[in-house]
């Protein structure tokens, strides 16, 4: 399938930064390559932001935050603005989907499919703009006491490479709905759609400086954003290791507020009375969708010992029949991992599973034949007889690797599910509604799905506990991330 002309033209020359309502080259003039994961070849080049560019973007965001054009904008006008952004995202869904697939490696149907939820998040928060309000508080004495919900200010936002456009929209939409301004640093592997998003925001009428996008490396651009004294809040989606560095940077600078959506090692628990076909489908899509590069992947399958063999028979058949290959071929269900380093990481985890004694049921190999040999393709991998102390049962792999553990009873299932440093999502499959709710209440996770996996909606909060993060994205809870309460007393 040939690349559309519009996409090809966009990739023909180095893509600039987007600061203060306009494109511009990096101050240093440096560029860095973007690799197509399906071929291993350079796709295009992007200008590389450093501390100087970050400072310029933050200055533009601060100026815009206090300007009448943004700070004085009527709520109804800001609401209409978010709707226009959503409309333009939908209008350019094919272009965005191609850019997502070419830089990330996901299949084209998924790349285009990510645009719908991205536009929906803008429509959802457009509906919140005129509903962000305070309250009147009855107090002792002759005073009128009321609160205001005000925007937190300039927000630094750092997003990952697995859902580049969607994660950028999750961050930007609630921030500007609340009246904040944004400096977004996309992943250095997948910055293309974030740059188009900035262009779309500008075309929709967002004032200069409100949305700035500065691609660059985490250790330089990301660190500068985290340490900047004029950034009021930092929102991050990514690894727990990087989050620790951002926390330290905040502590060493201005103690800026942080919200963190981090990793997971999420359990999908199957009881003996569950619908095994549905459970197998859920585990299959939860483990191998988006090449397993999902923070909410069902990477630990906990199955009651009485039904484990029957469930695995269904699951292995699904995984074995899954078509891996060129993301642009509609027949394929799984594309390439995002980079050579991610490929190396996933293969090392697979090797550790073998060495530590897990039973490899299927997959576990890099595809090195034919036209796929230069890309970063790994076959869907299932390990049985996994012990809790194995590396593949404890660490987030972020690839198409599923670990299967068995349990004897409900108590043991809950104990295994909770024996991890993470607590992002989870699922319970059972026909017993009482058990479903009982187990859901005891699992240490920010989200629990019952008889399904991967339920998402712009109105439903998402986030984790323990080392899976702080705060919640989407839903009403995200308004709390981008506003602060001011309490006003009036002596009567």
């Amino acid at each position: 399938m040939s690349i559309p002309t519009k996409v090809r033209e966009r990739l023909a020359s180095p893509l600039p930064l987007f600061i203060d309502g306009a494109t511009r080259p990096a101050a240093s003039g440096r560029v860095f390559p973007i690799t197509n994961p399906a071929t291993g070849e350079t796709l295009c080049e992007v200008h590389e932001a450093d501390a100087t560019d970050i400072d310029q973007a933050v200055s533009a965001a601060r100026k815009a935050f206090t300007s009448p054009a943004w700070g004085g904008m009527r709520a109804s006008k800001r609401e209409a603005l978010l709707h226009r952004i959503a409309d333009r995202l939908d209008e350019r869904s094919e272009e965005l989907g191609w850019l997502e697939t070419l830089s990330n490696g996901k299949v084209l149907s998924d790349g285009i499919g990510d645009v719908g939820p991205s536009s929906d998040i803008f429509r959802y928060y457009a509906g919140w703009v005129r509903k962000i309000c305070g309250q009147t508080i009855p107090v002792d004495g002759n005073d009128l006491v009321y609160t205001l919900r005000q925007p937190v200010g300039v927000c630094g936002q750092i997003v990952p490479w697995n859902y580049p456009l969607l994660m950028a929209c999750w961050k930007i939409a609630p921030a500007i709905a609340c009246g904040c301004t944004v400096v977004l640093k996309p992943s250095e592997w997948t910055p293309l759609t974030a740059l188009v998003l900035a262009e779309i925001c500008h075309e929709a009428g967002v004032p200069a400086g409100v949305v700035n996008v500065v691609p660059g490396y985490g250790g330089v651009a990301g660190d500068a954003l985290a340490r900047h004294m004029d950034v009021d809040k930092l929102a991050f989606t990514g690894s727990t290791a990087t989050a620790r560095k951002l926390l330290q940077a905040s502590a060493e600078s201005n103690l800026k507020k942080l919200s963190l959506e981090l990793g997971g090692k999420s359990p999908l628990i199957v009881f003996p009375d569950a619908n095994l076909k549905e459970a197998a489908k859920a585990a299959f899509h939860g483990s191998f969708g988006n090449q397993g590069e999902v923070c909410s992947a069902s990477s630990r399958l906990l199955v009651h010992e009485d039904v484990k063999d029957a469930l695995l028979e269904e699951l292995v058949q699904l995984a074995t029949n899954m078509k891996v290959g060129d993301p642009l071929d509609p027949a394929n269900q799984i594309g390439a991992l995002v980079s050579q380093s991610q490929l190396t990481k996933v293969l090392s985890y697979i090797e550790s599973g073998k060495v530590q004694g897990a039973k490899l049921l299927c997959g576990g190999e890099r595809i090195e034949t034919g036209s796929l040999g230069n890309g970063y393709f790994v076959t869907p991998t299932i390990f049985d007889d996994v012990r809790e102390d194995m590396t593949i049962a404890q660490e987030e792999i972020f690839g198409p690797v599923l670990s299967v553990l068995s349990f004897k009873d409900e108590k043991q299932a809950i104990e295994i599910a909770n024996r991890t440093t993470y607590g992002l999502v989870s699922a319970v499959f059972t026909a017993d509604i009482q058990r479903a709710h009982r187990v859901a209440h005891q699992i240490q996770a920010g989200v629990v799905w019952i008889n399904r996996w991967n339920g998402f909606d712009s109105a439903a909060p998402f986030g984790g506990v323990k080392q899976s993060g702080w705060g919640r994205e989407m839903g009403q809870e995200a308004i709390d991330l981008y506003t602060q309460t001011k309490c006003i007393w009036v002596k009567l």
Side-chain angles (χ1 to χ4, degrees):
M1 189 181 297
S2 60
I3 300 175
T5 302
K6 188 173 183 179
V7 174
R8 192 181 300 276
E9 290 174 350
R10 180 175 290 276
L11 302 176
S13 57
L15 280 72
L17 315 179
F18 193 91
I19 297 175
D20 203 15
T23 58
R24 65 172 71 173
S28 67
R30 288 193 300 268
V31 297
F32 62 96
I34 304 299
T35 301
N36 182 339
T39 65
E41 299 173 345
T42 297
L43 179 67
C44 65
E45 292 180 322
V46 174
H47 278 267
E48 179 188 339
D50 60 16
T52 299
D53 303 294
I54 294 296
D55 187 59
Q56 292 174 353
V58 172
S59 296
R62 175 59 62 192
K63 181 180 177 182
F65 181 66
T66 57
S67 71
W70 184 244
M73 182 181 287
R74 289 181 310 215
S76 59
K77 186 175 180 181
R78 195 160 72 247
E79 177 184 0
L81 195 61
L82 268 73
H83 278 297
R84 287 199 298 274
I85 295 170
D87 292 341
R88 281 163 173 76
L89 282 165
D90 288 336
E91 291 166 5
R92 298 175 68 170
S93 61
E94 183 180 11
E95 175 192 359
L96 289 162
W98 272 88
L99 291 171
E100 203 85 330
T101 291
L102 290 171
S103 62
N104 170 271
K106 65 178 68 188
V107 295
L108 183 58
S109 59
D110 286 349
I112 296 174
D114 287 346
V115 179
S118 299
S119 62
D120 184 72
I121 200 81
F122 276 96
R123 291 194 177 92
Y124 175 78
Y125 284 108
W128 263 106
V129 171
R130 288 192 278 178
K131 301 176 184 67
I132 301 171
C133 56
Q135 59 181 328
T136 303
I137 303 172
V139 297
D140 290 342
N142 192 26
D143 292 278
L144 169 65
V145 179
Y146 65 96
T147 62
L148 300 176
R149 299 288 289 181
Q150 296 184 315
V152 73
V154 175
C155 300
Q157 301 180 325
I158 302 175
V159 295
W161 44 262
N162 58 335
Y163 289 93
L165 176 65
L166 184 58
M167 294 295 97
C169 293
W170 275 23
K171 295 285 190 292
I172 292 175
I176 64 175
C178 293
C180 297
T181 57
V182 167
V183 178
L184 178 87
K185 194 207 83 67
S187 167
E188 58 269 25
W189 290 340
T190 56
L192 306 184
T193 49
L195 289 167
V196 177
L197 176 60
E199 180 183 300
I200 286 173
C201 290
H202 178 69
E203 292 173 352
V206 174
V210 173
V211 174
N212 307 274
V213 176
V214 282
Y217 292 101
V220 178
D223 184 69
L225 191 58
R227 294 181 183 279
H228 204 288
M229 296 295 290
D230 209 21
V231 171
D232 301 300
K233 180 217 164 32
L234 191 67
F236 171 71
T237 297
S239 72
T240 303
T242 300
R244 295 183 193 279
K245 296 177 183 177
L246 298 176
L247 284 167
Q248 183 177 356
S250 173
E252 293 173 351
S253 57
N254 62 341
L255 288 176
K256 57 180 61 66
K257 301 174 179 64
L258 278 87
S259 56
L260 306 170
E261 197 268 280
L262 309 177
K265 195 67 181 174
S266 301
L268 189 158
I269 307 172
V270 182
F271 287 97
D273 60 348
N275 182 320
L276 297 187
K277 285 186 178 293
E278 291 300 314
K281 289 179 183 178
F284 169 73
H285 291 294
S287 301
F288 306 130
N290 206 60
Q291 299 74 245
E293 295 171 325
V294 187
C295 60
S296 59
S298 56
S299 53
R300 288 189 300 152
L301 178 60
L302 280 54
V303 191
H304 192 278
E305 58 186 12
D306 290 348
V307 295
K308 188 184 76 166
D309 291 344
L311 178 65
L312 287 182
E313 184 178 351
E314 292 273 351
L315 186 55
V316 169
Q317 184 175 2
L318 289 171
T320 303
N321 293 334
M322 193 175 198
K323 294 184 178 180
V324 183
D326 182 0
L328 302 180
D329 185 343
N332 292 326
Q333 300 164 277
I334 184 170
L337 297 179
V338 72
S339 67
Q340 176 66 57
S341 61
Q342 187 64 18
L343 171 70
T344 301
K345 175 185 174 185
V346 170
L347 292 176
S348 70
Y349 275 114
I350 292 172
E351 186 61 28
S352 78
K354 296 176 183 177
V355 170
Q356 293 179 359
K359 181 181 179 181
L360 181 64
L361 297 183
C362 65
E365 298 175 339
R366 177 184 183 181
I367 300 177
E368 298 182 278
T369 57
S371 61
L372 303 183
N374 294 324
Y376 314 133
F377 297 92
V378 174
T379 52
T381 305
I382 300 176
F383 280 108
D384 191 14
D385 298 336
V386 176
R387 301 188 312 273
E388 284 188 76
D389 62 342
M390 291 181 179
T391 303
I392 59 172
Q394 290 297 323
E395 297 184 12
E396 185 178 43
I397 298 173
F398 231 66
V401 182
L402 173 63
S403 298
V404 181
L405 300 88
S406 63
F407 63 87
K408 297 178 182 297
D409 54 35
E410 180 180 311
K411 181 176 181 293
Q412 187 184 29
I414 295 169
E415 289 173 348
I416 295 173
N418 290 339
R419 272 200 290 264
T420 172
T421 59
Y422 295 108
L424 188 56
V425 301
S426 58
V428 180
F429 277 76
T430 178
D432 185 338
I433 192 64
Q434 291 180 316
R435 174 161 57 198
H437 286 285
R438 186 170 61 242
V439 173
H441 278 251
Q442 295 179 73
I443 293 178
Q444 297 167 0
V447 178
V448 182
W449 293 301
I450 295 176
N451 292 330
R452 67 166 301 159
W453 190 267
N454 269 354
F456 286 95
D457 192 283
S458 298
F462 180 82
V465 300
K466 298 193 283 189
Q467 292 187 32
S468 286
W470 297 351
R472 297 293 181 269
E473 296 193 294
M474 299 195 294
Q476 180 177 351
E477 281 79 358
I479 299 297
D480 295 335
L481 300 182
Y482 294 99
T483 58
Q484 50 196 353
T485 301
K486 177 179 289 184
C487 186
I488 298 177
W489 289 66
V490 182
K491 184 176 181 180
L492 298 179

